[in-house]
Amino acid sequence: MKTITAMLEAISKLYEQQKELEEKKRKEGEFFNVFNTIGLRTEEVRLHSAFIAELLNPKGSHGLSHSFLQAFWEVIEISDGYINYSQCEQNDIVERVIGPVNDMGTEGGRIDIIIEDGNHAVIIENKIYASDQKNQMLRYNNYAKKEFPNGYKLVYLSLDGHEPDDCSLGKDEYKVISYEKEIVEWLEKCYSISDSKPLVQSVIKQYCELVKQITNTDMDTTYKNNLMSIMLDSKNIIAVGEMLQLQDEWFGMILEKYIWDPLEKLAKQNQMLFGKELGIARDWNGAGAWIYREEWKYYGIFIWTKNRKYWDDMFVGVSWFEVPNWKNKICKKDRINCKLNCLNSFDPNDEEWPYGWEFLQNDIRNWNYEIIDKIVQGKVFDYIKKKFEEIISEIDELQLRMP
C-alpha cells in the first residue's frame, strides 16, 4: 500500500504540472482547431473522407503532386507505382456512386474514397461511427472486379483498426488500417512533406490533432513519457498491472457515482423541482440513460452516445424507447415533430428525435479520461441537470403532447 500511495502521489503531482502547462497553452491559443469550431469533428463524409481524399489526390489543391499519396502507400505497405499518378482521375474520388443497390444487395452503392488510374484501383471504406451495411464490401469487390480486371485493393479504415462485420464481406483479401495508427503516422509524414507550404502544413497539423482527439491518443508526449517512467519503475510494475486490469470497471464506477446515481437521485427528488414524479432507466450496454414521466408513455429525455467504446459526442435530446411492436406502431402513428427552443438541432422528418437534440458543450462532450476531473467535480452532472430542467420546463410550458 505504501508503494501504491507513493506512486499515486507522484502521478498526481505530474498531473497538476500538466494541467498548468495545458492552461498556459490554452491561453496562447494552441488548442484552437478549426474543425472542432465549425462542428465537423465526426462528419464522416463532409470532413474525414473529403480531407483524406484531397490529400491523396495527386492533382489536389495542396500543390504537392503525388507526395502525400506516396507517403500513404509507404504507410499501408502498397508498392509505389501500383497507381499511375499521371493517369489518376481528379474528380469523383469521394463518395463515388456505383449505381443503385440491387434487390440482392450485391451491386451498387457509394464508395467512400477511390484512387484509380483506369487500370488499377485502391478502394477505401471509411468507418468513423457508422455500422457496416449488409454486403457492403461485397458490392465494392464486385464493382472492382468489373472495372479494374488488372488489379485492385480493398482497404477498410476504422478508428481503432477493427475488422469489418462478416455480413459486409465478399472478398478474403482486404487490408485493415486505423485512424489511431496508420492515419496518424501518414499525417505526420504529410506534415513534414508540406514544409514548403505553410498553409497546407497548418491545416494538416490541425486535422492530425483532431484525429488524435477522436481516437483518444492526443496525450502530450513528454507527459506520457514521464508517466511511463513512473509506471515502469520496477517497484511499481506489479501495482500498475493490477490497476490496469480494473480500468474499465473503474471508469464505469466513476460514471455511476458522479453521473448516473445523482441522476437517479434527481428523479426521486423531482417533486420539489418539477411537481411530478420522474423515473430513470439506464442502458447497461453503456450508451447512456433517460428520464421519463409515466404520462409520457414511451418518451424520455436522453443523455446518449452512439459510440459506446470511446464515449465520444455525448448528446441530449427527447426520443422514444423500444416498446413491443404493437405499441411502437401507435407511438409512431401519433408522433408530432416539434422543435424545442432549448435544443439546437432539429429535423422535422427525424422519427428518432422528434423534438430535437444537441451535443453537450465542447469541454464535456467527450467522456474520456481527460475530463475525469470535471466529472468528479460534478460539472458534467450539473450541466445535464440544467439541460434536463430546461427541457422539462419547456415541455410543460408548451403543454407538449408526448404520445
Side-chain angles (χ1 to χ4, degrees):
M1 285 301 297
K2 288 182 179 179
T3 299
I4 293 175
T5 300
M7 179 183 67
L8 293 177
E9 287 176 351
I11 290 175
S12 295
K13 183 177 180 180
L14 197 60
Y15 173 77
E16 291 303 323
Q17 293 171 349
Q18 179 66 14
K19 295 301 287 184
E20 290 178 8
L21 179 61
E22 287 180 357
E23 185 57 31
K24 181 183 177 184
K25 288 182 177 180
R26 193 180 309 280
K27 289 179 179 179
E28 294 175 353
E30 292 189 32
F31 292 144
F32 174 77
N33 189 292
V34 65
F35 302 112
N36 279 328
T37 302
I38 61 179
L40 292 178
R41 176 187 176 89
T42 57
E43 288 288 338
E44 196 169 278
V45 177
R46 293 171 59 212
L47 172 59
H48 295 284
S49 289
F51 190 82
I52 290 171
E54 181 65 15
L55 292 186
L56 292 176
N57 187 353
K59 300 174 183 177
S61 58
H62 48 73
L64 286 161
S65 186
H66 56 265
S67 301
F68 295 152
L69 185 55
Q70 271 185 313
F72 188 69
W73 295 157
E74 182 181 337
V75 169
I76 70 170
E77 299 176 340
I78 290 179
S79 60
D80 189 21
Y82 184 75
I83 299 290
N84 185 333
Y85 305 124
S86 64
Q87 298 300 315
C88 278
E89 289 289 335
Q90 184 173 1
N91 303 314
D92 202 20
I93 291 176
V94 185
E95 286 286 286
R96 176 176 291 187
V97 177
I98 58 175
V101 177
N102 63 11
D103 293 339
M104 297 180 64
T106 57
E107 305 282 347
R110 293 173 181 262
I111 292 175
D112 289 335
I113 302 171
I114 180 169
I115 305 295
E116 52 102 346
D117 60 8
N119 292 310
H120 298 87
V122 175
I123 294 172
I124 302 173
E125 172 58 18
N126 183 22
K127 291 292 181 188
I128 302 291
Y129 300 130
S131 57
D132 290 336
Q133 301 171 24
K134 185 177 180 181
N135 294 333
Q136 191 168 19
M137 295 285 277
L138 172 61
R139 292 199 297 274
Y140 304 156
N141 182 43
N142 290 340
Y143 167 79
K145 275 182 182 178
K146 294 177 181 177
E147 298 295 324
F148 307 102
N150 292 326
Y152 61 94
K153 297 183 184 296
L154 296 181
V155 177
Y156 186 84
L157 168 61
S158 62
L159 283 176
D160 58 356
H162 67 263
E163 295 279 337
D165 292 343
D166 290 343
C167 70
S168 170
L169 296 175
K171 180 182 180 181
D172 292 332
E173 294 181 12
Y174 58 89
K175 187 171 186 65
V176 174
I177 63 174
S178 70
Y179 276 90
E180 67 182 8
K181 184 177 182 294
E182 286 85 357
I183 294 299
V184 167
E185 182 182 345
W186 170 59
L187 289 170
E188 289 173 346
K189 286 179 179 290
C190 291
Y191 180 82
S192 298
I193 292 169
S194 59
D195 189 52
S196 63
K197 309 278 186 182
L199 183 57
V200 175
Q201 189 177 55
S202 174
V203 177
I204 289 173
K205 181 179 181 181
Q206 290 199 35
Y207 181 69
C208 187
E209 289 304 313
L210 177 68
V211 170
K212 289 178 180 179
Q213 288 173 22
I214 65 175
T215 56
N216 293 322
T217 56
D218 58 337
M219 184 182 289
D220 178 84
T221 302
T222 302
Y223 177 50
K224 179 169 66 176
N225 290 341
N226 288 335
L227 274 178
M228 291 300 295
S229 178
I230 295 172
M231 295 167 68
L232 290 172
D233 189 308
S234 59
K235 66 178 180 290
N236 295 333
I237 286 179
I238 300 301
V240 170
E242 291 296 302
M243 288 189 288
L244 287 177
Q245 292 184 58
L246 298 173
Q247 64 177 353
D248 291 340
E249 184 178 347
W250 170 77
F251 187 69
M253 291 180 73
I254 287 176
L255 297 184
E256 286 290 324
K257 182 175 181 179
Y258 295 100
I259 296 179
W260 306 136
D261 286 350
L263 202 58
E264 190 165 3
K265 185 177 179 181
L266 173 68
K268 290 179 180 178
Q269 295 176 340
N270 70 88
Q271 285 194 337
M272 289 194 308
L273 292 169
F274 311 120
K276 295 182 180 180
E277 186 175 354
L278 293 176
I280 182 172
R282 310 183 206 184
D283 178 357
W284 295 105
N285 290 321
W290 60 93
I291 271 182
Y292 59 90
R293 285 180 182 162
E294 185 174 347
E295 69 264 27
W296 289 353
K297 294 185 180 178
Y298 317 120
Y299 278 75
I301 304 170
F302 284 67
I303 177 73
W304 208 250
T305 178
K306 292 186 177 179
N307 182 8
R308 301 179 182 191
K309 178 173 180 179
Y310 291 101
W311 286 86
D312 274 357
D313 293 319
M314 300 297 298
F315 61 95
V316 61
V318 179
S319 187
W320 51 278
F321 39 90
E322 293 296 331
V323 292
N325 288 335
W326 66 274
K327 290 183 178 180
N328 203 14
K329 290 176 182 176
I330 295 174
C331 181
K332 287 184 178 180
K333 177 183 176 182
D334 294 340
R335 186 175 303 131
I336 299 173
N337 284 27
C338 173
K339 181 186 181 305
L340 297 179
N341 291 326
C342 61
L343 297 172
N344 59 27
S345 295
F346 177 72
D347 179 350
N349 298 313
D350 188 348
E351 288 189 342
E352 190 172 1
W353 303 95
Y355 304 118
W357 63 276
E358 71 179 31
F359 287 118
L360 273 58
Q361 64 188 30
N362 284 337
D363 62 335
I364 60 170
R365 177 167 162 174
N366 301 303
W367 292 5
N368 51 39
Y369 296 114
E370 291 183 4
I371 69 158
I372 283 179
D373 56 341
K374 292 179 181 177
I375 293 175
V376 172
Q377 291 166 20
K379 292 181 180 179
V380 175
F381 171 74
D382 288 345
Y383 176 88
I384 295 170
K385 177 176 178 290
K386 182 180 178 182
K387 182 55 67 174
F388 276 27
E389 289 173 353
E390 288 177 356
I391 294 171
I392 290 174
S393 295
E394 190 168 351
I395 288 172
D396 289 345
E397 183 181 341
L398 295 174
Q399 297 183 331
L400 191 64
R401 185 158 63 93
M402 304 278 276

